[in-house]
Amino acid sequence: LKRLLDMQIEPILAIKYCFVGLDDILTKMKGEIDCLPIDASYSFTPNRAPYFRFTKEKVGYNLDLDQLIVCIIDELEKGDNVNIELSPQVLPPKVKYDDIKNYQNTKSSFATTFSAENESRKHNIALALSKLNGLEIKSNTSYSFNNITGRRTEKAGYKEAKIIVDKKYVEGVGGGVCQVSSTLYNALLLSDVDITEVHSHSLYSSYVDLGFDAMVNYGSADLKWKNNFSYPLFIKANVEGNRACVTIFGNREGFSFKRVREVESMVEPPEDELIEDKTGEFSHLVIYTDEESYIQYPHKGYVVRAFLEVYQADKLVERRFLRRVRYKPSAGIKVRGRLTRITKQLDDGVINFWQNYKYY
């Protein structure tokens, strides 16, 4: 072996020549030892507890045959008994469990209520929430509510319910979806996510505080945001009873957030508009001419400013101005029945009889 090495023969060829079959043994040994590292991983299943499941990382190994042969030669120079402890190179994984275990922390949650009696609206809310449920918001990536929930059409499964058009509530396909976007908007704010586009309604929406609604209309108005953190966020969105709920999971940053609104001014609504139910369309509400019922309630007008306060250990450290919103006042609409109530005056004798009537 020494003579071969003195002749400048490569060590691996010299070993292969002098120790027939040793290279096959070393190659087999390397195959048994070598393995790639496995990153820690996770899965998010918001409809089944636990919501997060983790697989821990595994290190990899690489046995350097060239280095091993050099060690064998060095040991042979010392004597005939060769004893070498293998020291394969450790290949660390890129992602460790400690890096991702905090993804399961609740970063924020927000809920709004709706009437459980309006089945079409409830259906639309549940459908839009299902589009958000299970969404992973990747780091440094932008998202669009309209792109996620899709067009509000009957073909897409949406039904007719009340929507706001030109300061009035009218029937429209997808009514209730704005409540979902508003619920998500507030959850995103409380998670300190960067909101890149948001719009307000023309009328005040009762399901959320003044200044914190998020009106959406496919093709013209959207809710957009960007995950400005170095880690992903995860959305659980569902209906619980008569509540639309959105929870966002991710690492906690040590801050808490509070929504604050300031009312600059308020305007009373104009006088109610009164219409007569000439066709009986609203007979489920009113029948007679002395009966009146709202089919659209009046709304006051407001000018408000919305802020997000940032706290650390209960200490206010920042007050961020979000936007100034103007809600227009709108008149209520009442409907009056179409039938004249028929009444017959009883004479005093009949009234006296029944007042003194006793049953035995």
Side-chain angles (χ1 to χ4, degrees):
L1 178 61
K2 186 176 186 305
R3 288 200 305 271
L4 291 174
L5 295 175
D6 289 342
M7 295 169 60
Q8 304 299 313
I9 302 298
E10 290 184 12
I12 189 169
L13 295 177
I15 286 288
K16 184 176 181 179
Y17 179 82
C18 295
F19 300 94
V20 177
L22 179 59
D23 61 325
D24 293 333
I25 295 174
L26 297 181
T27 300
K28 182 179 179 182
M29 188 183 302
K30 177 177 174 64
E32 294 173 349
I33 292 175
D34 282 9
C35 61
L36 294 174
I38 299 176
D39 290 340
S41 61
Y42 59 85
S43 61
F44 177 53
T45 54
N47 296 328
R48 182 181 61 181
Y51 302 142
F52 287 86
R53 289 176 171 81
F54 297 94
T55 301
K56 291 192 175 182
E57 72 278 4
K58 292 183 179 180
V59 298
Y61 296 98
N62 176 50
L63 183 62
D64 189 336
L65 286 184
D66 292 337
Q67 183 62 36
L68 178 58
I69 288 172
V70 171
C71 291
I72 292 175
I73 293 172
D74 289 343
E75 288 295 313
L76 284 172
E77 290 179 348
K78 299 176 184 178
D80 292 337
N81 295 322
V82 176
N83 185 13
I84 298 175
E85 181 177 350
L86 299 178
S87 299
Q89 177 188 4
V90 177
L91 305 176
K94 295 180 180 180
V95 180
K96 300 180 180 179
Y97 171 70
D98 288 343
D99 300 330
I100 63 176
K101 64 181 181 180
N102 291 326
Y103 289 178
Q104 62 190 323
N105 293 335
T106 299
K107 199 169 179 68
S108 71
S109 61
F110 196 82
T112 57
T113 59
F114 56 86
S115 174
E117 297 177 358
N118 191 329
E119 290 296 333
S120 295
R121 182 180 175 84
K122 180 179 180 180
H123 169 85
N124 292 339
I125 289 174
L127 179 57
L129 286 170
S130 70
K131 305 284 187 180
L132 298 167
N133 192 39
L135 177 67
E136 178 178 344
I137 308 174
K138 298 184 182 298
S139 174
N140 295 314
T141 306
S142 297
Y143 291 84
S144 157
F145 180 89
N146 284 339
N147 288 346
I148 295 170
T149 56
R151 292 181 180 274
R152 269 69 83 181
T153 63
E154 292 181 352
K155 185 177 180 180
Y158 291 98
K159 298 182 178 181
E160 282 198 351
K162 293 291 185 183
I163 61 174
I164 300 175
V165 177
D166 294 331
K167 298 185 293 180
K168 290 186 178 181
Y169 285 92
V170 298
E171 291 291 327
V173 176
V177 173
C178 285
Q179 181 164 350
V180 175
S181 58
S182 295
T183 307
L184 173 64
Y185 169 64
N186 284 269
L188 292 172
L189 280 179
L190 296 173
S191 291
D192 200 23
V193 171
D194 186 19
I195 306 297
T196 57
E197 180 182 343
V198 65
H199 305 269
S200 62
H201 289 90
S202 57
L203 303 178
Y204 162 55
S205 301
S206 59
Y207 51 75
V208 72
D209 290 339
L210 290 165
F212 290 96
D213 58 322
M215 183 271 292
V216 291
N217 184 31
Y218 200 95
S220 62
D222 201 355
L223 170 64
K224 295 181 180 179
W225 67 95
K226 181 180 181 180
N227 179 5
N228 45 8
F229 296 109
S230 60
Y231 50 84
L233 302 174
F234 305 84
I235 294 180
K236 174 179 171 61
N238 63 308
V239 169
E240 296 180 3
N242 67 330
R243 300 166 72 240
C245 305
V246 173
T247 301
I248 298 180
F249 299 93
N251 293 354
R252 294 198 186 100
E253 297 292 326
F255 297 95
S256 60
F257 302 88
K258 181 181 179 181
R259 302 168 308 120
V260 178
R261 51 98 167 163
E262 295 179 353
V263 178
E264 290 185 6
S265 61
M266 182 182 69
V267 180
E268 292 295 332
E271 291 185 5
D272 292 334
E273 178 184 348
L274 183 61
I275 61 175
E276 293 185 4
D277 185 18
K278 295 181 179 180
T279 62
E281 178 185 356
F282 301 100
S283 58
H284 61 292
L285 297 175
V286 292
I287 297 177
Y288 300 106
T289 54
D290 59 351
E291 294 177 328
E292 295 179 357
S293 178
Y294 276 112
I295 57 174
Q296 178 176 304
Y297 287 97
H299 288 267
K300 295 179 180 179
Y302 298 92
V303 177
V304 300
R305 292 188 299 165
F307 298 87
L308 187 68
E309 293 183 344
V310 185
Y311 291 84
Q312 187 173 29
D314 297 327
K315 180 181 179 181
L316 179 63
V317 295
E318 185 181 356
R319 195 169 195 254
R320 302 175 188 167
F321 173 75
L322 299 176
R323 54 179 173 159
R324 185 174 183 265
V325 181
R326 183 185 299 273
Y327 300 100
K328 298 179 181 179
S330 65
I333 301 177
K334 281 184 174 181
V335 61
R336 175 185 294 164
R338 63 193 179 102
L339 300 180
T340 302
R341 191 185 298 272
I342 300 176
T343 59
K344 186 175 182 180
Q345 185 69 36
L346 299 177
D347 59 43
D348 293 339
V350 175
I351 294 174
N352 184 61
F353 171 80
W354 286 109
Q355 285 179 340
N356 294 287
Y357 178 80
K358 291 183 181 179
Y359 177 78
Y360 294 96

